[in-house]
Amino acid sequence: MNILVTGALGYIGSNTTIKLIESGYKLYLLDNLHNSSIDTLNKIEKITKKKQTFIEADIRDHNEINNILKKYKIETIFHFAGLKSVKESENSPEKYFEVNFEGSKNLIDGLNLQKIKKKIFIFSSSACVYGNPKKLPYKEDHPLSPENAYGKTKLKVELYLKQTSLSNTNWQAIALRYFNPIGAHSSGFLGDNPLNDTPENLMPYISRVALGKLTHLEIFGSDYDTNDGTPVRDYIHIEDLAEGHLAAFNFLKNKKNDVYEEINLGKGKGYSVLELVETFQKINKINIPYEFSKRRLGDISKYYADVEKSKNLLGWKTKKTLEEMCKSSWEFEKKLKENE
Ligand code: NAD
Ligand code: UFG
């Protein structure tokens, strides 16, 4: 089976790539290195002890994507490539539309043209397609109303994937709605390492405060309607998330009929920002200075996943604890520092 992984050198792509290689699959790894480094390819090869085929390409390049799909006779696509900053998406919505929507459309249309018996597409969607919660936990049939440009691109891809897969034959597609992935691979080599100096997401920020690269964490808001006033999210260990992709792939491979599904990948449990910070401090025995500041624009008070569908359909659920997430994030950050 010829499998293309886009965004393969990114945080989630690289961790899933490892699981796929360890399960015996031969992959074609594609990335344009916009938010990753070629060094991640070396790390993947070191961990798996297998040489990989890497294609440096941009998913926006329609002709090149078609050529790649034809040349390597691609039958399955794990599609991770994309831009993921909520803030940047609000400032540059056109760029997000081009990369996240048009880039995805190139891959979906290209796969649709392939003359093969089974077309499998697994898409990295996001919990942010739901928007303000009408009811928690978010079930997959919760109304969809993303609050920001990033979320809107994810929803648009879901709808295009659904329409293409349902109006053509031989399609099996899943949009996986990730909650908040944190943590790192057990080797300590593959984690969330945003290229910007001041990370936008909570865990990379905490890790850099722990290293002393940033003086303190700002907690955005202490007056939310939650137990301790700080926002609640459903954090999921990156290795659990990577295994969720394998479960989704196995589910599709075993199906004879055409399929389109949207499935949450989360732990099904919410933790507040303060709980996460306290767990990080306790498990890693390190102090994280923090200050409360005003709410971040667009943040939702509280959300977490309904995990029944992933359990019933994929036979998958998370195994790792918040402690393990905090420990592995810190191990990764320390290793990065050692290798600087
Ligand atoms: P990441 O930035 O670490 O990885 C994305 C990869 O895609 C990077 O290696 C980047 O270089 C590559 N890329 C970007 N633009 C490209 C293009 N035009 N052509 C080819 N490659 C390109 O991000 P991640 O956290 O690994 O996220 C992977 C996917 O999951 C993204 O689509 C993201 O939107 C989605 N997602 C992430 C989160 C999260 O919190 N990390 C949550 C929900 C959904
Ligand atoms: N936070 C802080 N200080 C920081 C960074 C974050 O207090 O320096 C808080 C935020 O206010 C939020 C929580 O930590 O309450 C988590 O924030 P993140 O930025 O880590 O994550 P978000 O929940 O905002 O969103 C993330 C990704 C999205 C994705 C979504 C899916 O950024 O791409 O998870 O649930 F869609």
Side-chain angles (χ1 to χ4, degrees):
M1 182 172 291
N2 295 329
I3 304 174
L4 180 72
V5 182
T6 75
L9 303 191
Y11 174 44
I12 308 173
S14 61
N15 275 282
T16 306
T17 289
I18 297 282
K19 299 274 180 220
L20 289 167
I21 298 170
E22 285 172 350
S23 302
Y25 295 107
K26 162 95 185 68
L27 309 175
Y28 297 96
L29 307 181
L30 183 148
D31 208 297
N32 73 345
L33 304 177
H34 172 80
N35 193 34
S36 51
S37 136
I38 195 68
D39 192 39
T40 302
L41 180 64
N42 305 329
K43 290 176 180 168
I44 292 172
E45 291 180 337
K46 196 169 159 190
I47 293 168
T48 59
K49 301 192 180 66
K50 289 207 172 89
K51 195 99 192 95
Q52 298 302 316
T53 308
F54 177 65
I55 308 161
E56 187 172 341
D58 193 311
I59 57 168
R60 285 170 292 186
D61 189 336
H62 178 262
N63 291 338
E64 194 177 6
I65 289 300
N66 276 337
N67 291 339
I68 291 166
L69 297 183
K70 270 195 214 131
K71 179 175 171 191
Y72 298 108
K73 299 189 173 58
I74 297 300
E75 302 160 284
T76 291
I77 302 180
F78 285 83
H79 175 35
F80 298 96
L83 303 176
K84 62 168 179 176
S85 159
V86 170
K87 199 161 115 197
E88 191 190 33
S89 79
E90 288 293 287
N91 297 330
S92 314
E94 305 81 17
K95 185 162 97 182
Y96 273 65
F97 181 79
E98 273 172 31
V99 176
N100 289 4
F101 177 67
E102 290 183 341
S104 302
K105 183 173 181 296
N106 285 338
L107 291 160
I108 296 168
D109 291 345
L111 189 64
N112 201 30
L113 290 176
Q114 299 284 84
K115 298 200 172 14
I116 45 175
K117 289 225 180 67
K118 199 164 170 153
K119 297 158 190 178
I120 295 185
F121 199 99
I122 298 178
F123 171 57
S124 299
S125 190
S126 164
C128 68
V129 295
Y130 294 117
N132 253 316
K134 305 261 180 288
K135 193 169 179 238
L136 285 174
Y138 283 137
K139 266 172 101 83
E140 285 82 353
D141 61 3
H142 183 282
L144 302 176
S145 180
E147 299 275 304
N148 50 62
Y150 165 75
K152 286 178 187 153
T153 64
K154 290 288 169 190
L155 178 56
K156 214 168 154 52
V157 178
E158 281 197 7
L159 296 174
Y160 191 73
L161 182 59
K162 184 175 184 178
Q163 183 206 320
T164 308
S165 62
L166 294 181
S167 56
N168 290 280
T169 50
N170 303 335
W171 266 89
Q172 297 190 327
I174 298 189
L176 294 174
R177 294 177 179 158
Y178 310 155
F179 282 68
N180 287 47
I182 56 172
H185 185 258
S186 56
S187 63
F189 283 117
L190 299 172
D192 195 2
N193 182 27
L195 295 182
N196 45 336
D197 292 337
T198 314
E200 218 176 282
N201 298 118
L202 182 59
M203 187 52 97
Y205 204 107
I206 293 177
S207 303
R208 291 191 194 177
V209 171
L211 266 190
K213 284 188 174 174
L214 296 166
T215 54
H216 66 281
L217 171 72
E218 269 185 53
I219 297 183
F220 303 137
S222 56
D223 57 349
Y224 284 98
D225 182 20
T226 59
N227 281 349
D228 58 25
T230 65
V232 166
R233 294 288 181 273
D234 183 339
Y235 296 99
I236 170 171
H237 195 294
I238 186 66
E239 292 200 276
D240 278 333
L241 186 69
E243 275 168 12
H245 290 76
L246 219 60
F249 188 35
N250 287 334
F251 164 74
L252 293 179
K253 278 198 318 173
N254 293 332
K255 282 266 176 204
K256 298 250 180 313
N257 51 320
D258 289 3
V259 183
Y260 173 78
E261 296 287 351
E262 293 119 5
I263 305 181
N264 288 338
L265 291 185
K267 201 167 173 55
K269 186 169 170 22
Y271 293 96
S272 73
V273 173
L274 265 182
E275 278 176 302
L276 183 71
V277 173
E278 277 156 14
T279 307
F280 188 99
Q281 298 193 112
K282 195 165 162 211
I283 193 86
N284 296 317
K285 301 186 179 54
I286 190 156
N287 184 41
I288 303 295
Y290 62 81
E291 282 172 14
F292 291 108
S293 64
K294 64 179 188 333
R295 291 180 177 200
R296 186 170 67 178
L297 205 69
D299 267 352
I300 291 171
S301 161
K302 175 178 182 172
Y303 64 80
Y304 47 93
D306 182 292
V307 295
E308 284 309 303
K309 190 168 178 184
S310 61
K311 244 193 249 171
N312 296 337
L313 228 52
L314 309 182
W316 167 90
K317 62 178 179 35
T318 61
K319 296 185 197 123
K320 302 216 183 239
T321 61
L322 192 69
E323 282 76 12
E324 289 171 290
M325 300 181 212
C326 291
K327 196 165 185 331
S328 72
S329 292
W330 181 225
E331 292 304 322
F332 169 70
E333 201 67 31
K334 281 191 291 186
K335 253 210 171 84
L336 269 185
K337 172 83 178 153
E338 278 165 29
N339 295 319
E340 259 176 14

